[in-house]
Amino acid sequence: MNEDQRKKIIIDGAKFSTLEEFYTEIDRLLTKDLTWRTGHNMDAFHDILRGGFGVHEYGEGVDFVWVNSDKSRQDFGYEATVQYWERLAERCHPTNRERMLEKAKLARKCQGETLFDILTGQILSKNSVYAHTLILE
C-alpha cells in the first residue's frame, strides 16, 4: 500500500480525560463493531495497534493525528502516571510489584516517562509489526 492509501485516524484529546476514556475512544476509532470492547489495558492497546481488529489489517501502518494533544499531555502527565503505576502494582504479579512502585516513585518526582509518553511510544513502537506515524497537534 502506498503512502496515499494509508488510513488516517484522528485521536481527539478533547474526547477523553482519563485512561479509561482514552481506551474507549481507541476502541471506537479502531474496531469495526462499536459494541466490541478491548481489555482496556496497555497490552490490549498494543494488540489493537497491530491491526486485524477493525479498521486496519494486521501489520498495516496508520497515520495518526492526535489533536488537542497538549490537553492529553496534561491529562496524562505525572499525576496520572503515578496513579497508573500504583494501580498496576495493586494487581500485578507479586514479583513485579516493586518495579511498578519504583516507577510510581519516579513519577512522583516528575522523572521518567509520563503516561502520555508511554501511549505515544506504543503508537510509534519500532518493536512491532506495524509502522504507524503520529503527528501531535
Side-chain angles (χ1 to χ4, degrees), residues 63-118:
D63 297 326
F64 287 95
V65 178
W66 192 323
V67 299
N68 296 304
S69 62
D70 286 343
K71 176 190 176 300
S72 295
R73 189 180 301 276
Q74 287 183 328
D75 291 342
F76 300 132
Y78 283 112
E79 185 177 328
T81 306
V82 169
Q83 293 171 7
Y84 172 73
W85 291 119
E86 287 178 344
R87 274 194 298 269
L88 280 182
E90 290 172 4
R91 61 179 189 258
C92 71
H93 191 277
T95 59
N96 290 328
R97 192 163 289 126
E98 187 175 324
R99 186 169 56 95
M100 301 297 130
L101 291 174
E102 184 59 34
K103 289 181 182 239
K105 182 178 175 182
L106 280 175
R108 264 190 233 91
K109 296 177 184 178
C110 297
Q111 297 176 347
E113 287 185 310
T114 64
L115 190 51
F116 184 78
D117 297 330
I118 295 167

Side-chain angles (χ1 to χ4, degrees), residues 3 7 23-24 34 36-37 43 45 47 54 59 67-68 72 74 82 84-86 89 100 105 108 110 123-124 130 135:
E3 292 297 312
K7 288 179 178 54
Y23 289 140
T24 297
L34 296 179
W36 191 73
R37 192 175 154 186
D43 289 334
F45 179 48
D47 288 346
V67 299
N68 296 304
S72 295
Q74 287 183 328
V82 169
Y84 172 73
W85 291 119
E86 287 178 344
M100 301 297 130
K105 182 178 175 182
R108 264 190 233 91
C110 297
I123 293 170
L124 295 171
Y130 54 79
I135 296 171

